[in-house]
Amino acid sequence: MTLSQWANTYAYLSRETSADTGKFRSFKYQDGMMDAVTDPTVSLITVMKSARVGYTKLLDHMVGYFIHQDPAPMLIVQPKESDARDYSSTEIAPMLRDTPVLAEIAGDLTSRASQQRVDKRVFRNGASIAFVGANSPAGFRRITARIVAFDEVDGYPAGGAGNEGDQIALGTKRSETFWNRKIILGSTPTVQGISRIEKSWEESDQRRYYVKCPHCKTPQTLKWENFKWDKSEDGKHLSETAHFRCEAAECGGRIEEKDKLGLINGGEWIAEKPFKGHAGFHVWAAYSLFPNAAWRFLAAEWLRVYKDPMQKKTFVNLVLGLPHQEVVDVADPDALKARCEPYNYETLPSDVRLVTFGADTQDDRIEVTFVGWGANGESWVARHEVLHGDTSKPLVWDEFDKLIGEPCYTDEGRPLVAQAGCIDSAGHRSEMVYKFCRDRKRRRIYAIIGRGNPNLSAPRMIWPKTASRTKNSGDKPYIVGVDTAKDDISSRLAIVPSEHEPTARAIHFPAVGLSADYFDQLTAEHAVTKQVGAKISRSWVQKSTGARNEAWDCLVYALAARMSLPIKLDKAPKRTPRPVAGNDNSPSDDTAPAAVREEPKTKKRQRERWGAYK
């Protein structure tokens, strides 16, 4: 029997892993992937996929087939040991219990005499399955397998299995004594150029699923660029009208959701490169017949995330089943400067509810950025200050203490004193930073150390759950995930704020009060991904040697300070747009908007407000 025939004849779905239990029935596109496993001409299979296409069930049925029809030793490699145990317990054990032909072979799984273990299952007909985590150096030893399946290979630790080497090479070596071995690689891709599944896919015969247009019968694949939806008269996107357009120039007909079942049932896998024993499949969510993969849902997901580069990357990976391309430039400094708005730290919009700061310490100065925060992560840079002086002496720290105690004001006159702040304690004047923060712990002023993401599959949290004690002083700095924070801010800078509506996660900048090179500093770094041997690293680095980046660092630390506060802000109301030079209601003097040209408030008035606030 082919694997698809076996699955549709014998396989059952279990309640632990399926919304619908009972007999398994495959989607037509799944048959081609399953039958490659039982095709004697195929020795290596690569599946580059999205989520929601049923790949895990195909892996389950492969295991069931080689227990029931062709008893063989198998090896399943998951990203981590915990994943391997979970797969054995939640997928394989229920399948052995609920599939009658497998239950006869497996026997009582709970019996003490049974050879069924979470990490290795042995059957009386000679079949066996070993479950290994790709992070386990010893997991690959003393294992021989004819069938080796590598699941979610892009989630494997980049440095290999400890000192043992590359996990795929280790697992493949376990099958060398079998002339009829099968190697299966499956994964959702990650970063273009370093994705393991992408590399394997490019070496395959690259099979894609072709369907026929219901109008003109032209064979074609479902391409994202042909995925469309209508707009209402007022320009609103109507995700419920999602459809594909036939790519044939003479047709261009609408392919609707109601046509989907016929498309899939009438489709076929077609290889785009010569076959040399390596079958490669690419499938994405648009082909899936699961209810949660309806085209209207995919369109709604895109419309929800396309303005956020971080969420957009996830969409490309998990919905399109494609590797995303890293964006190296954080933003264009001129474009950011052109977005400046007529406010300052004394005229922040009423949407601002709280203020945090981030500070960077150098030998001869302290630089600090104050940021106001509103609902849904919207933020306003209030001011960026530079305090010059020898930072090994108390004088400049006394000035800094006064500065962070001064309130910012909304345009309603509401004072806002910084509720939390982060000061970089790595490199320059560490002891002075620790002492300053130690004395102000109750004011939520924290000494922090920035750390990158050594493990790409497990990004470091921006704000840690606990502090880490230093080796010598006994102080407890907080380890901030700066790469994660920079990714987050990069995605925020790409969002253009609306004049009339609150804009979630957008960052606003004041028209005055920032230095001439502020935006150059803010865009001084970019993300670089490198691969050296089996090790993959990604970090934010300066675009040019010696470029100043203090403004960028301070904004990162201000975000970390915001993340340290367990405060949720209510939804902001619609705002009244501020007058901007050039509008009909702007002042005739177009050198600066009225809100900026106002004379600054006197120190006496500031002291009065500060006293009232206290």
Side-chain angles (χ1 to χ4, degrees), residues 11-79:
Y12 280 77
L13 300 174
S14 301
R15 63 181 178 272
E16 288 90 343
T17 56
S18 302
D20 297 319
T21 58
K23 284 279 291 185
F24 170 78
R25 288 290 179 264
S26 65
F27 303 147
K28 181 70 183 308
Y29 68 81
Q30 294 176 319
D31 292 346
M33 294 188 285
M34 285 193 286
D35 290 346
V37 175
T38 48
D39 184 343
T41 67
V42 176
S43 59
L44 177 59
I45 299 167
T46 296
V47 180
M48 185 168 70
K49 64 181 183 65
S50 71
R52 290 177 283 188
V53 294
Y55 175 76
T56 300
K57 288 303 170 194
L58 307 191
L59 205 60
D60 296 349
H61 301 329
M62 179 206 73
V63 170
Y65 177 91
F66 284 107
I67 294 173
H68 180 234
Q69 289 286 306
D70 187 8
M74 291 171 273
L75 171 62
I76 309 293
V77 184
Q78 296 286 346

Side-chain angles (χ1 to χ4, degrees), residues 76-376:
I76 309 293
V77 184
Q78 296 286 346
K80 295 183 291 185
E81 290 182 90
S82 57
D83 297 328
R85 291 191 295 269
D86 183 66
Y87 179 73
S88 176
S89 301
T90 62
E91 290 284 347
I92 299 305
M95 180 184 71
L96 296 175
R97 180 197 66 207
D98 296 336
T99 303
V101 295
L102 299 179
E104 290 178 9
I105 298 170
D108 184 1
L109 302 180
T110 61
S111 169
R112 290 187 178 182
S114 172
Q115 296 188 70
Q116 304 294 320
R117 302 198 312 269
V118 173
D119 59 340
K120 187 168 185 178
R121 299 182 180 274
V122 180
F123 306 91
R124 52 190 172 216
N125 66 353
S128 65
I129 326 166
F131 303 91
V132 172
N135 61 341
S136 172
F140 294 92
R141 297 173 189 167
R142 296 185 300 277
I143 291 177
T144 301
R146 177 159 73 91
I147 313 299
V148 183
F150 300 94
D151 193 18
E152 292 300 340
V153 297
D154 274 19
Y156 290 2
N163 297 322
E164 300 288 323
D166 179 72
Q167 303 95 334
I168 296 176
L170 288 171
T172 302
K173 197 171 184 64
R174 300 293 93 195
S175 65
E176 281 185 343
T177 58
F178 293 93
W179 63 269
N180 57 346
R181 68 179 181 177
K182 294 282 183 179
I183 309 297
I184 300 101
L185 283 74
S187 185
T188 301
T190 51
V191 182
Q192 189 178 58
I194 64 173
S195 166
R196 291 185 176 190
I197 200 69
E198 178 195 26
K199 182 179 179 181
S200 185
W201 154 258
E202 289 176 346
E203 295 169 351
S204 73
D205 63 356
Q206 298 186 2
R207 304 181 189 189
R208 301 181 191 274
Y209 200 72
Y210 279 73
V211 298
K212 293 182 179 179
C213 171
H215 308 292
C216 68
K217 309 304 179 184
T218 300
Q220 57 199 282
T221 59
L222 296 179
K223 297 182 179 67
W224 174 250
E225 55 265 33
N226 295 330
F227 191 47
K228 310 292 181 183
W229 50 84
D230 301 332
K231 286 186 178 181
S232 62
E233 292 183 359
D234 59 357
K236 184 180 179 181
H237 296 281
L238 303 174
S239 58
E240 63 273 15
T241 65
H243 61 278
F244 281 86
R245 286 285 183 181
C246 175
E247 65 182 22
E250 62 277 9
C251 177
R254 289 173 68 113
I255 304 174
E256 305 283 0
E257 182 82 33
K258 62 182 176 61
D259 303 317
K260 191 175 182 180
L261 180 60
L263 291 178
I264 303 304
N265 288 341
E268 63 176 331
W269 288 101
I270 298 178
E272 299 179 352
K273 289 178 65 178
F275 174 68
K276 298 179 181 178
H278 185 176
F281 300 87
H282 173 254
V283 62
W284 66 288
Y287 288 99
S288 176
L289 295 173
F290 290 127
N292 62 358
W295 293 345
R296 64 183 182 279
F297 295 146
L298 304 185
E301 284 184 49
W302 171 254
L303 293 171
R304 187 170 62 252
V305 306
Y306 77 99
K307 290 184 179 180
D308 184 339
M310 293 295 290
Q311 295 188 61
K312 186 177 175 181
K313 289 193 295 188
T314 303
F315 183 91
V316 170
N317 294 156
L318 296 183
V319 178
L320 302 186
L322 295 172
H324 70 264
Q325 186 173 7
E326 280 292 327
V327 179
V328 295
D329 288 328
V330 64
D332 177 5
D334 294 331
L336 292 178
K337 190 173 183 178
R339 279 166 35 184
C340 286
E341 302 170 29
Y343 72 86
N344 59 31
Y345 74 97
E346 293 186 324
T347 59
L348 292 171
S350 57
D351 295 352
V352 176
R353 313 294 179 82
L354 62 87
V355 172
T356 65
F357 72 82
D360 185 62
T361 307
Q362 302 294 323
D363 290 340
D364 61 349
R365 66 191 184 281
I366 302 174
E367 300 203 23
V368 56
T369 298
F370 294 85
V371 179
W373 299 92
N376 300 315

Side-chain angles (χ1 to χ4, degrees), residues 530-608:
K530 296 180 180 179
Q531 181 170 3
V532 180
K535 188 174 182 180
I536 300 170
S537 65
R538 179 182 182 278
S539 60
W540 282 82
V541 298
Q542 292 176 330
K543 295 178 183 177
S544 58
T545 304
R548 289 188 58 192
N549 61 350
E550 289 86 354
W552 175 238
D553 286 340
C554 288
L555 190 57
V556 167
Y557 304 151
L559 172 63
R562 173 66 185 98
M563 300 295 284
S564 74
L565 296 171
I567 300 173
K568 293 184 179 180
L569 301 177
D570 296 332
K571 188 176 180 181
K574 284 189 176 182
R575 63 174 63 107
T576 303
R578 294 167 173 271
V580 180
N583 290 352
D584 291 340
N585 59 352
S586 62
S588 56
D589 178 7
D590 61 0
T591 57
V596 176
R597 290 187 292 104
E598 264 186 15
E599 289 296 321
K601 297 177 177 65
T602 64
K603 292 290 182 182
K604 178 180 177 181
R605 185 177 175 187
Q606 289 184 11
R607 286 196 297 271
E608 289 173 352

